[in-house]
Amino acid sequence: MSLSSASASSSSFSPSALSSAPALAALGWDDAWAAEFAPYAEQGLLPGRVVRVDRGQCDVVTADGTVRADTAFVTPHDPLRVICTGDWAAVEPSGNPRYVKAYLPRRTAFVRSTSSQRSEGQILAANVDHAIIAVSLAVELDLGRIERFLALAWESGAQPLVVLTKADLVPDPATLAYLVQDVEAAAPGVQVLTVSSLTGEGMDVLAAVVADGTSVLLGISGAGKSTLANALLGADVMDVRATRDVDGKGRHTTTTRNLLALPGGGVLIDTPGLRGVGLWDAEAGVGQVFSEIEEYAAECRFHDCAHESEPGCAVTAAVAEGTLPERRLESYRKLLRENQRIVAKTDARLRAEIRRDWRLKSAEGRANYAAKRGGRG
């Protein structure tokens, strides 16, 4: 059967038939997605999951196989609404080029701020169930960076998991236990797992986690993400390069976000190493990471307490008593301040866009009025 004829036949699938298509089911397609897609199926469009995006095009896995599609129809001004790895898309059944006509509403979305002066957000992955934050034990732990990743993960709607990689480089069990305790203190309510792709330690537990739903691998270059991905895939699919001995950092071996079906079930999105991890309207995520501080804050005398030098502050009292590490409070303050700046910039940009639109419409109105008066004259 030709691709065009196969596409034509699948475009007439009912939602229940689409739910049972093996290629889609392996990538997380379910009855709820099928119901969301029903209006597009009536238009003859094909459902598929976006597995890679580059240069205005994307690879989409459909019931008929992987197709290359143009994203021109879904490239709005808002960078948070562009097509993204992990999206479920509605694709034309044929054509050269073929186009993605729409994508389904996202259940979750991992978003960070860019380094752009326009204070824009960047969506890294969509429809993710587990956000796996890879942290290398080959270098000194940066608990502040872990907290930053966790804030974005909680804000995305996914369940975070911290994976401490290269555990074989910490042979002393007591030292490893102390490192795990430090990370657990910085990640309340989050599972912390030590793994070694070399010895296989912890890989069975990680494989069981990722077998349920869609997972995204996050971390800086050199954290061991590509090695983890290869171990979970059971093959050397992702390029791996040695990290520098001087600082433990690595070059970007993954240059695009790739969605891959795992042999044991589940789906994995591998991402490039992130040099910068800026918050993007993540106040709720920050609150989740520092849940113990928010609990103390509820006991402060003043509801708008800044936890600096106010009388009756339960947060600073906890620091003085030694029940709350001062490092945690400083990290909390830092992330809240950063988030407030991002929100303020974003609001300012939105206000500027509204004013610009208003001025354009006013100018058009004046031009039309002048034209009418000139016609009467």
Side-chain angles (χ1 to χ4, degrees):
M1 181 184 293
S2 68
L3 181 60
S4 59
S5 60
S7 299
S9 63
S10 28
S11 66
S12 61
F13 281 179
S14 66
S16 58
L18 286 170
S19 297
S20 61
L24 299 182
L27 297 183
W29 187 258
D30 56 27
D31 289 341
W33 286 122
E36 289 266 14
F37 191 82
Y40 299 108
E42 292 175 358
Q43 299 172 33
L45 298 174
L46 296 177
R49 194 157 196 195
V50 178
V51 299
R52 178 187 172 99
V53 180
D54 60 275
R55 301 184 187 89
Q57 293 188 314
C58 62
D59 294 335
V60 185
V61 174
T62 71
D64 301 322
T66 303
V67 301
R68 187 76 167 162
D70 195 294
T71 64
F73 281 98
V74 284
T75 308
H77 262 327
D78 186 349
L80 298 183
R81 296 177 61 195
V82 299
I83 201 77
C84 177
T85 301
D87 275 325
W88 285 100
V91 187
E92 290 179 324
S94 61
N96 187 18
R98 296 166 79 157
Y99 287 95
V100 173
K101 303 306 292 267
Y103 61 84
L104 300 184
R106 294 159 176 156
R107 294 178 181 175
T108 62
F110 194 96
V111 180
R112 68 164 178 173
S113 69
T114 67
S115 57
S116 166
Q117 296 301 312
R118 296 182 61 190
S119 64
E120 293 179 339
Q122 178 190 24
I123 180 165
L124 298 180
N127 301 314
V128 171
D129 301 294
H130 308 285
I132 301 172
I133 302 164
V135 180
S136 173
L137 289 173
V139 294
E140 184 177 353
L141 289 176
D142 186 336
L143 297 178
R145 180 185 290 131
I146 294 173
E147 289 162 343
R148 179 180 293 273
F149 269 108
L150 287 169
L152 292 176
W154 280 122
E155 192 70 32
S156 77
Q159 173 65 45
L161 167 67
V162 178
V163 174
L164 302 178
T165 66
K166 308 178 184 181
D168 53 283
L169 299 180
V170 188
D172 179 40
T175 301
L176 184 59
Y178 283 128
L179 292 172
V180 171
Q181 289 175 8
D182 286 344
V183 177
E184 287 176 337
V190 176
Q191 181 181 4
V192 178
L193 179 65
T194 58
V195 304
S196 169
S197 300
L198 183 64
T199 66
E201 175 190 345
M203 291 304 301
D204 54 342
V205 179
L206 180 59
V209 172
V210 299
D212 179 24
T214 297
S215 303
V216 60
L217 269 175
L218 303 158
I220 65 170
S221 297
K225 298 187 305 302
S226 295
T227 303
L228 271 185
N230 286 338
L232 292 169
L233 290 162
D236 290 338
V237 175
M238 310 307 297
D239 184 23
V240 177
R241 299 177 188 171
T243 55
R244 299 192 299 246
D245 291 335
V246 64
D247 56 9
K249 294 181 180 179
R251 291 175 293 175
H252 293 301
T253 54
T254 302
T255 55
T256 59
R257 292 177 283 279
N258 303 284
L259 185 147
L260 305 156
L262 297 170
V267 176
L268 183 69
I269 299 176
D270 191 20
T271 65
L274 301 176
R275 290 190 179 90
V277 193
L279 299 185
W280 178 259
D281 197 5
E283 183 177 354
V286 173
Q288 188 79 25
V289 176
F290 299 93
S291 55
E292 81 279 27
I293 296 180
E294 304 248 313
E295 290 174 3
Y296 284 125
E299 304 299 321
C300 290
R301 181 184 302 177
F302 304 108
H303 70 86
D304 59 348
C305 182
H307 319 307
E308 296 286 351
S309 57
E310 295 87 347
C313 175
V315 174
T316 53
V319 172
E321 293 166 3
T323 55
L324 175 65
E326 187 171 0
R327 186 206 68 79
R328 286 280 285 173
L329 178 56
E330 287 303 315
S331 184
Y332 175 69
R333 288 169 173 161
K334 178 180 179 180
L335 293 183
L336 277 185
R337 286 195 300 267
E338 178 183 326
N339 192 70
Q340 288 166 355
R341 286 197 300 269
I342 286 293
V343 171
K345 285 182 180 179
T346 304
D347 288 346
R349 179 169 57 85
L350 290 175
R351 288 194 298 271
E353 289 178 354
I354 291 171
R355 286 196 298 269
R356 184 171 62 251
D357 290 343
W358 181 83
R359 285 196 298 268
L360 287 173
K361 290 177 181 177
S362 296
E364 290 174 0
R366 288 194 298 271
N368 291 335
Y369 178 70
K372 289 179 181 178
R373 287 181 58 85
R376 285 198 299 269

